[in-house]
Amino acid sequence: MCNIVLEKYFDRIKAAYEASAFTKGIRPEPEDNIKKFESNYVAIPSEYRWLLLNLGGCDLADPWIFDLKELDENYTFFEEAYEEYMSECEHGKAFPIGGLGDGSIVFIDLESGKVRGYNNDYTDIEEISESFSKLILDLVEQVESSGLFSRLEM
């Protein structure tokens, strides 16, 4: 079993989900559905898999993180974009995890563990975060600093 960094922050992440209007209706994904996706495509990176199983997709701020339905709908598109456009950019094997408001694809570079974005307008790759867990914790911090928590406590 691999070490999941996010697990120790579960309560904090869950509180951010509950405080954000953007995460209403987001639910944990059933293990069977995740296994079905993995049998059709490829294994989901462990921390992303943990998030899907325990909380679901993530729409706290940009970038948003796909829920399983969005991942399933976008995986083939990502593979095609990877072949056609992203193969010209320098990065390791990639796994799609979400997007940005401008239509950019967000992915985990499976070799480095970094979260990167492919901007199709500029045909360029930008680094978004050092890791998936750091990205999620940064998104949680944005919710915490937005004042939503203090308004909920009143």
Side-chain angles (χ1 to χ4, degrees):
M1 191 79 188
C2 64
N3 181 20
I4 303 297
V5 172
L6 294 175
E7 197 165 33
K8 63 184 168 186
Y9 298 101
F10 176 78
D11 291 337
R12 187 174 165 207
I13 299 167
K14 185 176 180 188
Y17 270 60
E18 291 169 354
S20 175
F22 300 113
T23 53
K24 300 292 184 234
I26 292 178
R27 301 285 178 261
E29 303 288 352
E31 175 86 26
D32 289 345
N33 293 357
I34 289 176
K35 286 180 179 179
K36 182 179 177 186
F37 173 89
E38 291 176 326
S39 70
N40 289 334
Y41 300 105
V42 64
I44 297 170
S46 60
E47 292 227 321
Y48 181 28
R49 191 178 201 280
W50 180 90
L51 185 76
L52 291 172
L53 279 170
N54 290 279
L55 294 159
C58 181
D59 195 6
L60 296 173
D62 257 1
W64 81 87
I65 307 301
F66 293 144
D67 62 22
L68 194 58
K69 181 178 184 268
E70 292 168 320
L71 178 61
D72 191 43
E73 291 169 350
N74 285 285
Y75 192 80
T76 303
F77 168 75
F78 175 80
E79 286 183 316
E80 292 167 3
Y82 184 86
E83 284 295 316
E84 191 171 340
Y85 305 107
M86 291 174 57
S87 60
E88 299 171 8
C89 301
E90 191 173 318
H91 60 83
K93 188 165 172 51
F95 188 92
I97 60 167
L100 294 166
D102 67 0
S104 298
I105 299 169
V106 176
F107 64 92
I108 298 173
D109 182 319
L110 297 173
E111 290 175 16
S112 69
K114 294 180 179 183
V115 176
R116 296 184 166 165
Y118 174 74
N119 186 314
N120 50 4
D121 292 335
Y122 304 109
T123 61
D124 195 16
I125 291 180
E126 65 177 303
E127 186 171 322
I128 294 173
S129 186
E130 294 174 14
S131 67
F132 183 77
S133 57
K134 180 162 180 4
L135 171 66
I136 297 302
L137 294 173
D138 287 347
L139 295 173
V140 167
E141 194 172 287
Q142 287 181 46
V143 172
E144 291 171 341
S145 66
S146 71
L148 287 174
F149 283 119
S150 59
R151 282 182 269 170
L152 286 175
E153 293 170 359
M154 295 177 137

